[in-house]
Amino acid sequence: MMSLTPYSPHRRSRFLLYFFLPVAFAMTVGAAYSFFITAQFRDMQSIANAEQVRHMQALVETTHVSFEMLGIQRELAAALEQVRSGQLDEAGAYQFHSEVVNRLTQLGAQADLTLAKLVALDLTQQPALNKALGQFSAYRNYVVMATDIVAIDPTQAATYINQANEQYYAFAQLSQKIDVDLAADSLAHLTSTEEALARSTRRAQWIGSVATVLGILAWWVVSLLLSGRLSLLARGLQQLADGDEFAVDERDFSAIAKLGAHPQGLLGGMAAAVLAFRLANSERNAAQGALEAERENLESQV
């Protein structure tokens, strides 16, 4: 009589792992891919934000330099009117001169730093930046000379102020062009980033869709294999329950025998149990047949 492999809890554990490990692997891969895509999007957004910040800083600093120059021009004109009206004496003019020189020194350092940032952003040609620095330097010189003599020679100071105005207008015009270039380049970077994010999103969706379809197909194949084997075992049991173990297509029990050749697995153990039940049923029927034949023999002798 065919012997069955004793039941072991490890058999059930292996069967559970057959289903758990693929699912866990698929979920882990999906989570890792999602994390990778999220990190990629975050890096792209971070780079775009940093580029945007650099553009905005340069734009603000350029506008600030031009705005400060305009403020000094207004103060110069007001100081000249005060001198002419006698409201500003020589001591007050000297104090005003010192304040303006200090402001121009700080403004010059900021202008150098701002233009260096523009060079790093590669938005304006170096000759144009050199021209802007030259205009600011000329503006500063005229302002210093005007404030130096505003209380002594208001007429000459007015001439220097007019020349400073011309340099300021030229600088402001170039500064406005730089601001326009900064805004246009910032918009181009934003558009490029949006397009890159859109491409990455479409690629991620495509990869995710393909992976989902492949996963579904893989599980469909596995389900077909398992359902086929379970259906095979179910047919065998149904045939045995109907008492037709020898009146069936032997191909079913041949397939069950192949499956039961490895009884260590759960399905293999079930197949071995079906075969053992079939053998026991066959032996029982053979014993009953022999007993019936012997009984008939004894009855015939009586």
Side-chain angles (χ1 to χ4, degrees):
M1 185 175 181
M2 182 177 180
S3 61
L4 294 176
T5 302
Y7 174 77
S8 173
H10 297 293
R11 184 183 301 175
R12 180 183 180 186
S13 300
R14 285 197 302 269
F15 191 73
L16 290 176
L17 288 178
Y18 292 155
F19 288 91
F20 173 75
L21 288 180
V23 174
F25 176 76
M27 294 183 66
T28 301
V29 172
Y33 180 71
S34 177
F35 177 81
F36 171 77
I37 292 299
T38 302
Q40 187 180 39
F41 285 174
R42 185 172 57 249
D43 292 341
M44 293 175 63
Q45 190 65 43
S46 177
I47 293 173
N49 290 340
E51 192 71 18
Q52 184 75 5
V53 168
R54 287 195 294 269
H55 281 75
M56 291 299 102
Q57 285 179 343
L59 179 62
V60 170
E61 291 174 3
T62 304
T63 304
H64 177 72
V65 171
S66 181
F67 180 79
E68 286 295 318
M69 290 171 65
L70 177 61
I72 292 175
Q73 283 299 106
R74 290 178 175 176
E75 292 177 10
L76 275 175
L80 182 61
E81 291 297 325
Q82 289 176 358
V83 169
R84 287 174 175 173
S85 63
Q87 297 178 0
L88 184 65
D89 57 12
E90 188 173 347
Y94 178 77
Q95 182 179 0
F96 175 69
H97 169 74
S98 300
E99 293 175 355
V100 169
V101 169
N102 291 333
R103 289 173 62 185
L104 286 173
T105 300
Q106 297 176 358
L107 195 59
Q110 182 179 353
D112 292 339
L113 181 61
T114 301
L115 295 178
K117 290 181 179 180
L118 293 174
V119 172
L121 291 173
D122 196 23
L123 296 178
T124 308
Q125 298 296 327
Q126 187 65 44
L129 296 178
N130 292 334
K131 183 179 179 181
L133 287 175
Q135 292 167 347
F136 179 83
S137 179
Y139 166 83
R140 179 173 53 195
N141 292 336
Y142 285 126
V143 170
V144 170
M145 289 188 293
T147 57
D148 189 37
I149 65 172
V150 65
I152 301 173
D153 189 354
T155 302
Q156 186 61 40
T159 301
Y160 289 149
I161 290 174
N162 290 333
Q163 291 173 328
N165 280 335
E166 294 178 0
Q167 297 300 323
Y168 164 72
Y169 293 145
F171 180 89
Q173 185 177 8
L174 182 58
S175 174
Q176 185 176 10
K177 181 181 181 303
I178 292 174
D179 290 345
V180 171
D181 291 341
L182 281 169
D185 190 71
S186 178
L187 180 60
H189 274 84
L190 285 176
T191 303
S192 176
T193 301
E194 289 179 357
E195 292 175 352
L197 287 173
R199 288 193 301 270
S200 298
T201 300
R202 289 193 297 269
R203 183 171 59 251
Q205 290 174 344
W206 184 83
I207 293 175
S209 300
V210 171
T212 301
V213 171
L214 291 177
I216 292 174
L217 290 177
W219 276 108
W220 175 253
V221 172
V222 172
S223 299
L224 286 178
L225 292 175
L226 288 175
S227 62
R229 293 180 178 182
L230 290 174
S231 297
L232 179 66
L233 295 175
R235 285 198 307 271
L237 288 173
Q238 184 63 46
Q239 293 163 2
L240 292 176
D242 293 340
D244 297 333
E245 67 274 14
F246 294 109
V248 296
D249 189 349
E250 286 296 327
R251 289 179 298 179
D252 283 350
F253 283 98
S254 295
I256 294 175
K258 292 180 180 179
L259 187 61
H262 304 283
Q264 294 80 10
L266 190 60
L267 289 177
M270 292 173 63
V274 171
L275 293 174
F277 179 67
R278 185 194 189 200
L279 181 59
N281 200 26
S282 175
E283 291 176 348
R284 179 178 60 81
N285 291 336
Q288 288 179 350
L291 183 61
E292 183 66 23
E294 185 177 356
R295 186 181 65 80
E296 291 177 355
N297 186 30
L298 290 176
E299 288 179 351
S300 64
Q301 290 180 1
V302 174

